Each structure stands twice: as C-alpha cells, then as structure tokens.
Amino acid sequence: MSENTRNDEVLILSIPNNERINKLGERFSLEFQCKPSFFARVPGRVNIIGEHIDYCGYPVLPMAIEQDILVAVGVITEHKLYLRNANSKYDKVDIDIKSFETIDIKADSNGKPFWYNYVLCGIKGALEHLNKQQYNGIRLYVDGNIPPASGLSSSSALVSAACLAFLHAQDAKLNKTEIASLCARSERYIGTQGGGMDQAIAFLAEKYSAQYITWQPLNATPVALPEDASFVVAHSLAEANKAATNDYNRRVMECRLAAKILAISIGITTEETIITLSQVQKLGNKSLEEMVTLVNKYLPKDLYTKDEVCKILMITGEELNDRYSTPNTKYLTEFKLKQRGLHVYEEALRVENFRKICLQLNTNLSVSNGTNGHTEVKEGNDNTLEILGSLMSASHESLKNLFECSHKNLDILVDMSRELNVHSRLTGAGWGGCIVALCPKDKLTDYIEKLRAEYYVKHCNIDKNEANYYVFATSPNYGARIYQ
Ligand code: ADP
Ligand code: NG1
C-alpha cells in the first residue's frame, strides 16, 4: 500500500538502531547531558526534469534521495534554541526565540547567510503557524550529508527539519501538504523567492517512484520510472549558494514581468498584480505550444530596459519595484524576458512529455521523436530511454542558453556524459552544483567509473576514493519522518 496519503501527517516511527542515529544521540547527550526527545529526518532531492518552472506555476518531477538532514531534538520549557552541528565548520549558536519575530539574516563577507539562519526560517514559520505565546524551546543537534549549495536541496531539508522538529516539540499536528507549504513560505525569509518544489518533495516523496508535483492545490502523483534506467548524480565541484547572489530572484522577477506583459498583450485583464506564466496560459486558454509562439510575438527583443518595461506596463519605476522586485533585485535595469519565457513554456512541455512516456511504460507502446520536436507515442521498437534522455539534454541546453543558469563545470560533465552516450542535465537552481544523468542500468558501472577517472581524477585532480562522494547512483526514496 502507498504510504503517501496527502492528508496524512508525517510518519512517526520508532528510533532505528543504526550507527548514524546512535552517534548523533551520543553527541547530543554529551553536549546537553540528557537524551534527545526525538529525531527528525528530511531528505534532499534530485529534480529529474522541470527546472525553474515551479515558481511559474508549472509541474515538476523530482524524487527524494537517500542523503538527508537528520536532527536530534530535545524539548525544553525556556523559549530558547540551542543549536549544534556535527560538522565543526558550522558554529554552535544559542538564541532567544523571542528575538527573531523578524529575522535579521546575518551573512558572511561573500553574502552567504550563516547556516543557523535556515533553522531560524523554519522555526519562524512554525511559530507563525502556531500563533500562540506559550511554546517549548528546543535543543537541536544537526547532522547533514546532502552536499550543500549543490542543487540537491540541502537548505530546504534544513529549513524543513527545523520547522518539523519545532512543531513536533509542541505536539502540533499538520498534514504533509500543509507542512510542505508552510516550509516553502518559511524558506523565503532567507531572501529567495523559491517555488516550493523542494519542500513539497521533502514531505510527499515515496520510495520507488518520482513525484509529479502540481500546485494550487499542492499535490503529488507517483510516477514510476523506467525499470531499465538508473539515475546518477554527479557534482560539478562548483558550489553556488542561492541566497548569496540575486541570480535566482532575478529569474523569478523576469518571469513575473514576462507574464504580465504577455497577459496585457493577449488582453487578459486581471486585478492581480502578479500573474504567473502558467496563469497566463490558463486564462488565455492556450496550449504550451501556442504560448511559445506568443512569447516570440510579444516579447521579440533580446533585452528590455527597465524604462521599456515600465512603458509597456504603464507604471513608474517605483511601482515596478514595489510590485515585482525583491530587495536584491530592485536595482536591476535590464531584463531578458523572451529567453526566460521560452524556457519556461518549453520546459513545461518537456515535463508533460517525460511524464506521459513514463505513464506509457507499462503498455506495449514505444516512443519516438516526431516532427517539430514533439514526442509521438506509437508501437514499435523500444527506444524509451533515448527519448527520455533527449528531453533531459534539451532541458540542459535550454537552462544553459535561455535561462543562463549553468556553469562551465556542469557543461563539461554534460558533454562528457554525451560522449559516453548518456543524457544528462543540471539539476536544481544551477550556477554550479550537480547534474542528473539517465543511464541505462547495464551501462551504470562503466559510466560512473569513466566519470570518476575522466572528470574527478583527470580534470579536477581529486582522489579516486573521494570521488565516490561526488558521483553516485540514486533511486527514489521516502520523505520526512520522525523517530521517537
Ligand atoms: P541547496 O541547493 O543545497 O539547497 P542553498 O544555497 O540553497 O543550496 O543552501 C545551502 C546552505 O544551506 C549552506 O550554505 C548552509 O548554510 C546550509 N546547509 C546545508 N547543509 C547544511 C548542514 N548539514 N548543516 C548546516 N547548514 C547546512
Ligand atoms: P535548489 O537551489 O536546488 O534548492 C531552487 C528552488 C526550487 C526551484 C529550483 C529550480 C528554493 C528553496 N529552491 O532549488 O524551488 O525553483 O531552484 O528549479 O528556492
């Protein structure tokens, strides 16, 4: 039976007897002179396809991975947070919970928020949900093994683990979709306008299947992946902290502006200031293919100045800032609207095709690339993996050229994989981080071995054993849990 009923609460299991959890429990006891009250675990994720479209309202197709944030939690009566981390690079912090009714995000000299801010975001979200004066404080000992700032959602796992731990310390009951939405809102306090994919999969993931995540209302439908496919994650060795730059928010803003201009151009009158690219499609009653044509027609220029955008929208620069920007994007003066719009609509189309092909896997049908780049499903030879892989390669090209969120190391990994006849794409926000590759099962060992030798050892000059941490096969894992 499927574990994952959307209205279910997060699963509470008894504490498993494994080395990692025992060690974390011991560290907790040594530090705080008492045993943890419970543990919480939230996984990272890899997004198979559907990048930078969640915040435009389009479905995405991620799966949870084995790597996670595990926290040992002690419940206390004072309104305090005692925060420790198993990794000594993350400093210990003791904070008065009352002091962050508004979080003042403190960052290092590179603009990277200190780690504890992510925990504070989760707790702030939980406090807002609880909306009461009396609550317990917590002692939190964190042990994470998701490569940070690498597109595998380490930050969301941390925010979500903190939120879940704090809520459970109050005995608060939330179902999985409610807590996923709460955590998505909470993480925005860090400064990035995320779309909610990471928190959704963190709570709604199931073992053995990826999830097709849709929005408003949030929902997840299991998608069985091809049995003869392996999914491989490979780290480019370039890290990119999303909250340290305005790259991510700039894309969110450009998509909002593109949507508003398209809406006006096709005569959609709405009171709403912000309209997403998917709302434009829906209200305009158009297909995704038609939206691509409309982007080319109504957003023909490669670059729009702020003045031009203001003129089209008939608003002042100040109004544009108030309605569409964030503190770190209000000084922007130029926007790429055509490229972002094209990526979003075409990527949404790729997600639909990918899902459709996966759904047809159990039938006797096979798929091929039809004319105009559309996927045709018909009976014949089985080249399903090649077609799915081509969608992933096309996604990467689009992220690189239209969305401009790749990194030279990611492109090297993708190109190297292509030479080994494996399709891949950057996963997560990009600008560094990981690729996800679709590798036929029978080629898996060879593919990983070759990446180890060619990319990690030869190109990056790192030890072959160390490379194991950076390149690994992964399969759909289960979502957040509490161990008590
Ligand atoms: P990601 O793509 O992994 O979500 P982000 O740039 O959004 O990347 O967030 C990465 C940040 O999350 C790190 O710089 C760090 O502050 C925090 N983080 C991730 N993992 C841990 C961990 N195990 N312990 C403490 N902080 C962590
Ligand atoms: P990463 O950087 O991989 O955690 C971010 C966003 C997602 C989504 C992807 C791009 C957050 C917390 N996550 O993921 O919502 O937009 O980029 O598809 O902002």
Side-chain angles (χ1 to χ4, degrees):
M1 200 185 74
S2 164
E3 152 204 319
N4 197 25
T5 306
R6 298 337 156 221
N7 295 325
D8 276 356
E9 288 161 21
V10 173
L11 215 58
I12 303 179
L13 302 172
S14 52
I15 299 175
N17 182 13
N18 69 45
E19 204 187 321
R20 181 157 167 241
I21 220 159
N22 293 343
K23 203 162 167 198
L24 184 60
E26 278 164 26
R27 280 174 180 270
F28 184 100
S29 303
L30 208 65
E31 177 72 19
F32 297 117
Q33 311 303 318
C34 63
K35 284 192 164 180
S37 319
F38 63 92
F39 293 81
R41 172 199 177 269
V42 179
R45 61 101 187 94
V46 59
N47 188 21
I48 298 171
I49 196 157
E51 221 62 84
H52 285 281
I53 61 171
D54 58 347
Y55 52 81
C56 300
Y58 281 109
V60 291
L61 199 69
M63 65 190 193
I65 56 176
E66 200 183 315
Q67 288 84 339
D68 61 17
I69 295 280
L70 178 68
V71 292
V73 192
V75 183
I76 51 178
T77 49
E78 357 158 39
H79 287 188
K80 283 207 79 139
L81 165 69
Y82 294 95
L83 194 50
R84 305 290 180 268
N85 200 304
N87 184 334
S88 58
K89 83 171 179 188
Y90 299 114
D91 289 340
K92 55 163 92 169
V93 194
D94 296 339
I95 297 177
D96 194 350
I97 290 181
K98 269 177 269 171
S99 72
F100 59 88
E101 272 147 12
T102 58
I103 311 178
D104 176 19
I105 304 289
K106 297 264 189 319
D108 67 13
S109 55
N110 299 314
K112 212 165 106 178
F114 294 116
W115 79 282
Y116 62 85
N117 291 290
Y118 294 89
V119 174
L120 300 189
C121 288
I123 296 181
K124 179 173 163 58
L127 280 171
E128 282 168 358
H129 169 79
L130 293 165
N131 194 20
K132 57 181 187 183
Q133 296 304 313
Q134 278 315 310
Y135 48 83
N136 295 315
I138 52 172
R139 295 174 171 138
L140 201 68
Y141 214 122
V142 178
D143 177 29
N145 57 15
I146 308 168
S150 308
L152 300 180
S153 197
S154 69
S155 61
S156 304
L158 183 56
V159 171
S160 303
C163 186
L164 176 64
F166 194 77
L167 287 172
H168 192 65
Q170 327 300 327
D171 213 14
K173 308 275 178 240
L174 259 80
N175 71 35
K176 288 175 187 172
T177 47
E178 284 171 335
I179 190 167
S181 304
L182 175 62
C183 290
R185 290 196 298 278
S186 308
E187 188 160 350
R188 293 192 191 114
Y189 291 122
I190 207 74
T192 45
Q193 294 291 309
M197 161 170 66
D198 307 346
Q199 302 82 359
I201 191 67
F203 289 97
L204 297 170
E206 282 178 42
K207 209 165 168 62
Y208 308 120
S209 52
Q211 298 289 324
Y212 176 71
I213 311 247
T214 49
W215 314 103
Q216 287 186 330
L218 172 60
N219 194 28
T221 314
V223 174
L225 298 167
E227 271 178 15
D228 50 349
S230 291
F231 288 87
V232 175
V233 172
H235 201 301
S236 67
L237 302 190
E239 285 190 2
N241 181 295
K242 266 191 324 292
T245 71
N246 66 7
D247 291 330
Y248 186 86
N249 281 351
R250 172 195 266 278
R251 300 304 185 279
V252 175
M253 184 178 178
E254 287 172 324
C255 288
R256 287 176 183 169
L257 294 176
K260 194 69 188 178
I261 294 179
L262 283 173
I264 290 175
S265 307
I266 62 173
I268 294 171
T269 47
T270 165
E271 295 288 297
E272 298 293 322
T273 312
I274 291 186
I275 176 164
T276 61
L277 287 164
S278 72
Q279 283 171 318
V280 178
Q281 184 203 347
K282 207 165 161 195
L283 293 172
N285 200 16
K286 307 282 181 207
S287 66
L288 284 166
E289 290 88 344
E290 285 170 323
M291 289 314 300
V292 169
T293 309
L294 291 175
V295 170
N296 284 315
K297 181 169 177 191
Y298 293 116
L299 294 167
K301 293 176 59 153
D302 285 338
L303 202 64
Y304 286 81
T305 64
K306 187 169 184 171
D307 286 346
E308 284 170 320
V309 174
C310 287
K311 228 181 208 164
I312 302 171
L313 298 181
M314 292 191 291
I315 54 174
T316 64
E318 221 164 86
E319 284 168 333
L320 186 134
N321 283 347
D322 284 351
R323 296 176 192 178
Y324 301 100
S325 68
T326 53
N328 64 358
T329 55
K330 63 178 171 217
Y331 301 106
L332 298 178
T333 54
E334 289 178 334
F335 306 99
K336 293 192 178 174
L337 307 184
K338 173 175 69 180
Q339 299 89 324
R340 312 312 186 215
L342 286 177
H343 165 77
V344 170
Y345 289 126
E346 289 171 351
E347 182 79 350
L349 205 50
R350 283 187 283 271
V351 173
E352 292 316 313
N353 284 332
F354 198 101
R355 174 172 174 255
K356 203 159 69 186
I357 294 166
C358 290
L359 291 178
Q360 275 150 355
L361 279 177
N362 291 332
T363 72
N364 230 0
L365 300 173
S366 81
V367 284
S368 66
N369 263 339
T371 48
N372 307 327
H374 295 276
T375 305
E376 289 172 358
V377 182
K378 54 186 174 195
E379 289 185 44
N381 294 330
D382 191 3
N383 58 351
T384 309
L385 292 201
E386 177 57 29
I387 304 289
L388 290 175
S390 314
L391 290 170
M392 290 171 70
S393 287
S395 168
H396 183 78
E397 279 306 295
S398 178
L399 289 160
K400 178 181 166 190
N401 299 320
L402 293 176
F403 225 71
E404 297 175 289
C405 62
S406 190
H407 182 282
K408 67 177 181 357
N409 290 11
L410 290 167
D411 298 338
I412 292 172
L413 272 173
V414 167
D415 292 344
M416 247 178 209
S417 302
R418 275 309 293 134
E419 277 165 32
L420 299 167
N421 291 318
V422 171
H423 290 282
S424 63
R425 54 181 289 279
L426 74 83
T427 187
W431 297 288
C434 297
I435 62 159
V436 55
L438 193 170
C439 179
K441 256 193 187 130
D442 55 357
K443 283 196 199 163
L444 178 67
T445 316
D446 191 45
Y447 172 60
I448 291 187
E449 196 44 49
K450 289 217 166 90
L451 278 193
R452 253 192 228 133
E454 291 300 312
Y455 186 73
Y456 296 99
V457 176
K458 208 160 147 192
H459 186 80
C460 303
N461 222 2
I462 70 165
D463 184 78
K464 203 170 176 185
N465 293 327
E466 202 193 324
N468 289 339
Y469 173 75
Y470 294 113
V471 55
F472 52 88
T474 191
S475 49
N477 228 293
Y478 49 81
R481 281 171 178 197
I482 289 168
Y483 300 117
Q484 192 163 347

